[in-house]
Amino acid sequence: MTEMMAEELADYLRECSPEKLDVECYDIADAHLAPTPDEETVVVLGMPVYVGKIPLPAIKAMRDIYGGSALTLGLVSYSGRNYGNALYELKQFADERGFKMIGAGAMAISYRAVRGSARSGALVMDSDALRRYAKAASAKIMRLGGCDIEGLKVKPAPLEVKGRMPRHKISRLSPKAAAIAQSVLDVIALRRQESEWFL
Ligand SMILES: Cc1cc2nc3c(=O)[nH]c(=O)nc-3n(C[C@H](O)[C@H](O)[C@H](O)COP(=O)(O)O)c2cc1C
């Protein structure tokens, strides 16, 4: 999802960029190997929602990376039940690590059923929503970068993402218990939420 968002963004930005635009993708666990972004870099920072939060390994990985004030788009994937405080949390960690987050999106995914199995199958992204988010985000980036004279550059208004910092108590659960909790949630949470984003 993160990769697709980056490719979409690059396609839009290429239309107005005299420079060659490259897309580089890193697993969050290897992101410390990436060069520190500069002001010409746009970062897409994505991770899944686990129990309304962002996963602990992703938080740990975030401690080893630095954003260098690069314009950043946050992205969480969730199964359409509830993304809880994950987006808020991602924004807080991104701010702490020097990323300038100008957009935050929660993208619903669904599972394509596998014939003959009651269990979930392949992930299906909400590609339409992702493309709309990428398009709107690229328009914002173009607005912000529209002027070469530093003093006249448009300053982004602070991005507002509602929520609070969750406590990661659930991480004490074993993966097996988490999987059971997940399947119970799947059964009881019938109402699905849509993808949404804030810019
Ligand atoms: C342990 C666990 C907890 C999850 N908790 C939530 C949740 O609270 N809300 C939600 O909408 N989706 C939840 N999901 C679904 C994931 O967000 C979804 O599967 C994920 O975005 C796709 O990434 P994955 O490849 O890690 O599954 C959970 C999945 C797992 C495995």
Side-chain angles (χ1 to χ4, degrees), residues 1 47-53 55 76-84 107 109 111 123 175 178-179 182 185-186:
M1 203 179 265
M47 49 196 71
V49 174
Y50 282 1
V51 206
K53 305 167 197 179
V76 295
S77 62
Y78 78 121
S79 69
R81 284 192 305 277
N82 195 334
Y83 61 85
M107 297 289 138
I109 51 120
Y111 292 97
L123 280 181
Q182 157 92 18
L185 262 176
D186 273 339

Side-chain angles (χ1 to χ4, degrees), residues 139-154:
K140 181 165 182 180
I141 293 167
M142 286 184 228
R143 277 201 308 279
L144 293 172
C147 183
D148 273 336
I149 305 164
E150 184 61 34
L152 293 180
K153 269 195 176 162
V154 186

Side-chain angles (χ1 to χ4, degrees), residues 32-193:
H32 60 281
L33 302 175
T36 298
D38 58 19
E39 61 167 16
E40 297 293 310
T41 310
V42 175
V43 177
V44 180
L45 206 50
M47 49 196 71
V49 174
Y50 282 1
V51 206
K53 305 167 197 179
I54 57 177
L56 275 182
I59 298 177
K60 287 200 185 107
M62 290 277 295
R63 294 203 180 110
D64 289 333
I65 55 176
Y66 177 62
S69 299
L71 294 186
T72 300
L73 294 158
L75 188 62
V76 295
S77 62
Y78 78 121
S79 69
R81 284 192 305 277
N82 195 334
Y83 61 85
N85 290 299
L87 211 47
Y88 177 85
E89 210 186 349
L90 176 59
K91 163 104 173 47
Q92 300 309 305
F93 283 114
D95 285 352
E96 258 171 41
R97 300 307 306 156
F99 293 88
K100 206 191 284 174
M101 206 146 125
I102 56 157
M107 297 289 138
I109 51 120
S110 56
Y111 292 97
R112 190 183 292 127
V114 174
R115 192 186 282 267
S117 163
R119 307 202 69 170
S120 49
L123 280 181
V124 184
M125 298 193 266
D126 187 353
S127 312
D128 288 347
L130 200 61
R131 277 195 201 96
R132 290 199 301 273
Y133 175 36
K135 187 175 183 187
S138 65
K140 181 165 182 180
I141 293 167
M142 286 184 228
R143 277 201 308 279
L144 293 172
C147 183
D148 273 336
I149 305 164
E150 184 61 34
L152 293 180
K153 269 195 176 162
V154 186
K155 285 251 172 356
L159 177 70
E160 284 226 23
V161 179
K162 289 202 179 75
R164 61 176 177 78
M165 278 314 259
R167 284 194 294 162
H168 278 265
K169 260 169 131 180
I170 197 81
S171 61
R172 293 196 196 114
L173 274 185
S174 69
K176 200 172 165 197
I180 293 169
Q182 157 92 18
S183 51
V184 172
L185 262 176
D186 273 339
V187 175
I188 58 173
L190 292 173
R191 253 187 63 209
R192 283 286 193 258
Q193 291 179 8

